[in-house]
Amino acid sequence: MESGPAIFAGTAFALFGAALLVWTGARVVHRAPVAHGVSPVVSTALATLFGVLFLALGVWCFARF
């Protein structure tokens, strides 16, 4: 019974993390700002860090069920 919420949470985290990484990569390739009003290096690093974090959290949720 507990696998249902784990699958949902894992899917949500993995999709968000992957989408954040793809979006950040597309912004960097086009040399567009990742976040307005913030240093490009800091915004790219933080977006990449959180994308990887959410993707890893999704994988962890899938490993738990």
Side-chain angles (χ1 to χ4, degrees):
M1 192 60 150
E2 294 177 3
S3 65
I7 292 171
F8 177 77
T11 303
F13 284 133
L15 283 176
F16 180 73
L20 186 59
L21 287 173
V22 168
W23 180 81
T24 303
R27 300 295 287 182
V28 169
V29 166
H30 293 294
R31 297 188 184 271
V34 175
H36 293 285
V38 183
S39 168
V41 175
V42 172
S43 62
T44 302
L46 283 176
T48 303
L49 174 73
F50 280 107
V52 170
L53 180 73
F54 277 109
L55 194 57
L57 188 57
V59 170
W60 180 78
C61 285
F62 285 133
R64 299 277 302 167
F65 78 90

